[in-house]
Amino acid sequence: MRFFESKFFRYLWRFNAVAIALTYAAFSIAGLFAVYFVILESNYGHNGSDVVNFSQNDQVVDRYVFGQGRALQGKEFLFVPINRLQSYKGEIKEKNYGDNIVNYLVIDQVRNKSKWLASGSGQLYLAFEEVYDNLTPGDLDAEIARHIVYTVVTKDTNGDMLFSDADKISLYSSSFDGSNYRLLLSDVDEVHSMAQTLSGDLMIFYRKNDDNFTELYELDSLKLISRNRVEKFEK
């Protein structure tokens, strides 16, 4: 009886030793995989250039896709955004700064012609605002788009190697057909509001550095009429 008991316990001890060894090996492998994925995630989660947030040494492939077009009220032109997608080692990573719009394709739907609004993809569009000819209250059918004002990031101003709404912004304008694309304001921290006056002129209220300003632009040409520095608020 003692022989069988000792033999049983000897097999039991060997089984326990093998089980402990296998468990240790499994935990070791799992730990190595966890460390690998943490390092991989940290490598492409924080650094990059332009609107890309990958390291300069990473293998990044940009891919561009069209978004849904936006038709202007009372006009035959369609503005179709193009978005930048980025792939890292085959995995598609889309950056969601707004829609990550880097340009617009302007399509003339009557003449079946098209052109790009800006040059290349070295900018990030954050907003798209239409300026109208007619501001009759309640008469939406009478509103006809005259100009477009774009909120754009063109520089990495906070040094994080990204283009995002954390950077200073610029305001650009164009005619309803995408022509006359030009700079209105640069290095702005925040646009508080943008609205048309009863006469149709465009008023922009914004903050730049430690000061706030209002600027009034003439409707036809969007030329600057006047600029006012807002008095600081006294607590």
Side-chain angles (χ1 to χ4, degrees):
M1 188 70 176
R2 290 180 181 176
F3 171 75
F4 289 107
E5 288 178 354
S6 62
K7 188 174 182 180
F8 170 76
F9 283 112
R10 188 162 57 247
Y11 281 121
L12 181 61
W13 180 85
R14 290 176 180 173
F15 174 79
N16 288 338
V18 171
I20 292 172
L22 290 175
T23 302
Y24 176 78
F27 275 107
S28 298
I29 293 172
L32 289 175
F33 272 105
V35 171
Y36 170 76
F37 283 115
V38 168
I39 293 175
L40 180 62
E41 182 69 22
S42 64
N43 279 343
Y44 66 78
H46 303 286
N47 298 313
S49 61
D50 199 23
V51 297
V52 184
N53 74 333
F54 297 104
S55 168
Q56 294 283 358
N57 297 323
D58 288 337
Q59 294 179 353
V60 180
V61 177
D62 287 340
R63 193 163 64 93
Y64 298 91
V65 296
F66 286 110
Q68 184 173 0
R70 177 170 176 171
L72 300 187
Q73 178 76 20
K75 297 295 182 180
E76 67 270 20
F77 293 91
L78 184 69
F79 284 69
V80 183
I82 187 164
N83 297 275
R84 186 202 305 265
L85 302 182
Q86 299 153 355
S87 62
Y88 175 79
K89 292 187 177 179
E91 181 181 0
I92 298 298
K93 308 292 288 187
E94 182 174 359
K95 308 313 297 173
N96 293 315
Y97 302 124
D99 290 324
N100 197 22
I101 299 171
V102 296
N103 210 332
Y104 284 93
L105 182 66
V106 185
I107 301 176
D108 184 334
Q109 300 179 90
V110 173
R111 298 173 180 83
N112 194 23
K113 294 183 178 181
S114 62
K115 65 180 179 180
W116 291 105
L117 176 68
S119 176
S121 60
Q123 57 273 323
L124 177 67
Y125 289 88
L126 302 178
F128 179 113
E129 300 287 341
E130 298 173 25
V131 181
Y132 294 101
D133 262 342
N134 186 295
L135 288 176
T136 304
D139 190 5
L140 296 179
D141 292 334
E143 293 184 350
I144 298 176
R146 183 68 169 273
H147 302 283
I148 304 167
V149 178
Y150 313 86
T151 303
V152 192
V153 175
T154 60
K155 295 181 289 186
D156 171 26
T157 57
N158 63 0
D160 65 355
M161 301 181 73
L162 299 173
F163 278 11
S164 73
D165 56 7
D167 292 305
K168 289 181 181 292
I169 57 178
S170 297
L171 294 184
Y172 283 77
S173 69
S174 78
S175 299
F176 62 85
D177 60 355
S179 63
N180 300 318
Y181 183 71
R182 65 185 182 89
L183 178 67
L184 292 180
L185 289 169
S186 62
D187 297 326
V188 172
D189 292 295
E190 180 183 5
V191 175
H192 300 304
S193 66
M194 185 164 53
Q196 286 182 256
T197 65
L198 292 177
S199 61
D201 295 328
L202 180 66
M203 173 71 74
I204 302 177
F205 178 29
Y206 65 93
R207 177 172 61 86
K208 185 172 182 177
N209 299 325
D210 293 327
D211 292 315
N212 293 286
F213 300 91
T214 56
E215 290 191 355
L216 188 63
Y217 291 84
E218 190 267 333
L219 176 63
D220 289 334
S221 62
L222 282 188
K223 289 184 177 180
L224 180 64
I225 298 175
S226 62
R227 182 173 185 259
N228 172 61
R229 179 178 173 273
V230 177
E231 184 179 354
K232 290 186 180 295
F233 175 70
E234 297 293 338
K235 297 181 180 180

